[in-house]
Amino acid sequence: MEPKTCVVTGASRGIGRGIAERFGEAGCSVAVNYHSSAEAARAVVSAVEDAGGAAIPVQADVTDPEQVELMYEDVKEAFGSIDVLVNNAGINQDVFFENMTHEQWGAVLDVHLDGAFNCTQTFYDDIVGAESGRLINISSIVAKGGNLGQANYATAKAGIFGFTRTLAHELAREGSTANCVAPGFIETSMVTDLPEEIIEQVREDTPLGRIGDVEEVADVVAFLASERSSFITGEVIDVNGGMDL
Ligand code: NAP
């Protein structure tokens, strides 16, 4: 991957952190977005710098357009225009549908869908104006197969497919691309907090027999962010060890 200027939402830990560090290894300038984990975000900034990149921490709740606008101003001041936006910030609030409240439904849709809308809307002109602008959205295997207790999450992540494919059409007119990465079960707190018997079941259901590493997702994102992916747009790339929910 060539050195680019990138924004990664939800980069204070987990997959977002892995993506930010991978961008750092490529000499990129990275805006490390977080919601509440300021100290963790500062540690990611140091890790990106140690890897050879430049980075700033940028706080913003992606569900709030005003906070996203302030993030944009911080990024602009530090790095100028950006080339790559990775919509990665995410939460889950798992509960069987019969017990799911409207708040649990809305909270998850807000972060994944409104968050992607707000950030993409705000950085859209930058992506269009970049020589090879890239929009990369993180969805999930759950968007395809559904999953017990995840009606809100699966709905949001399936929405990201339609969002990505539509943006791919619209950005193509400007020579930029939009793609989606759909991870399976990856070793972050979103998975390691699950009961051990569920994690064991996931291993059994995964042909490669294990949980994935954040680096395995980050490498695919880095490819999609690079010039090497120049003729790929509107795609969903699975990174799931062969799992078929
Ligand atoms: P994670 O470890 O729980 O990290 C979530 C990140 O999102 C944190 O940096 C958090 O920031 C940020 N975030 C949450 N709400 C936010 C908000 N309103 N505004 C800004 N940032 C917010 O999650 P992960 O496992 O790395 O997941 C990253 C993405 O991959 C998510 O979209 C998730 O749905 C997707 N995914 C994960 C897996 C998996 O197996 N782990 C599989 C498929 C897809 P703070 O720390 O500041 O709260």
Side-chain angles (χ1 to χ4, degrees):
M1 180 186 173
E2 316 73 23
K4 295 188 177 227
T5 305
C6 314
V7 174
V8 185
T9 69
S12 59
R13 55 198 155 89
I15 292 172
R17 175 177 178 140
I19 294 167
E21 287 190 43
R22 182 68 190 77
F23 285 170
E25 286 166 17
C28 295
S29 300
V30 188
V32 174
N33 162 255
Y34 66 98
H35 180 207
S36 49
S37 306
E39 199 175 321
R42 279 195 295 274
V44 178
V45 165
S46 299
V48 171
E49 290 169 347
D50 289 348
I56 54 162
V58 273
Q59 194 282 333
D61 177 348
V62 294
T63 67
D64 181 340
E66 287 176 13
Q67 292 189 31
V68 173
E69 184 58 36
L70 291 173
M71 168 166 78
Y72 176 79
E73 286 166 18
D74 286 349
V75 173
K76 205 83 187 159
E77 193 182 328
F79 298 139
S81 279
I82 63 131
D83 307 301
V84 180
L85 169 64
V86 184
N87 284 313
N88 166 80
I91 60 166
N92 60 322
Q93 294 196 10
D94 299 352
V95 54
F96 282 114
F97 184 72
E98 61 192 7
N99 296 320
M100 187 173 286
T101 63
H102 194 263
E103 284 68 32
Q104 288 166 326
W105 171 260
V108 172
L109 265 63
D110 279 357
V111 174
H112 294 275
L113 294 179
D114 283 29
F117 174 86
N118 291 335
C119 295
T120 307
Q121 188 70 267
T122 301
F123 288 99
Y124 190 85
D125 287 347
D126 281 26
I127 295 169
V128 165
E131 202 169 310
S132 311
R134 298 281 190 263
L135 172 64
I136 301 165
N137 298 317
I138 308 299
S139 181
S140 168
I141 189 174
V142 166
K144 294 183 173 175
N147 200 23
L148 290 173
Q150 293 199 305
N152 48 4
Y153 184 81
T155 301
K157 290 306 204 185
I160 290 294
F161 288 169
F163 179 69
T164 304
R165 290 190 167 121
T166 301
L167 267 290
H169 285 295
E170 298 190 10
L171 283 170
R173 299 173 307 168
E174 316 287 349
S176 299
T177 68
N179 288 290
C180 191
V181 176
F185 288 77
I186 306 299
E187 185 140 359
T188 74
S189 58
M190 206 177 263
V191 166
T192 54
D193 287 351
L194 292 170
E196 182 50 37
E197 61 268 25
I198 293 184
I199 296 177
E200 193 44 45
Q201 188 63 52
V202 168
R203 286 193 195 99
E204 277 177 30
D205 293 343
T206 304
L208 284 175
R210 61 179 175 84
I211 304 292
D213 295 325
V214 296
E215 292 78 11
E216 292 172 310
V217 179
D219 279 340
V220 175
V221 173
F223 168 70
L224 290 172
S226 76
E227 303 298 331
R228 292 180 161 224
S229 69
S230 50
F231 206 48
I232 301 173
T233 196
E235 287 299 324
V236 176
I237 313 286
D238 293 329
V239 184
N240 61 26
M243 191 184 215
D244 191 9
L245 270 183

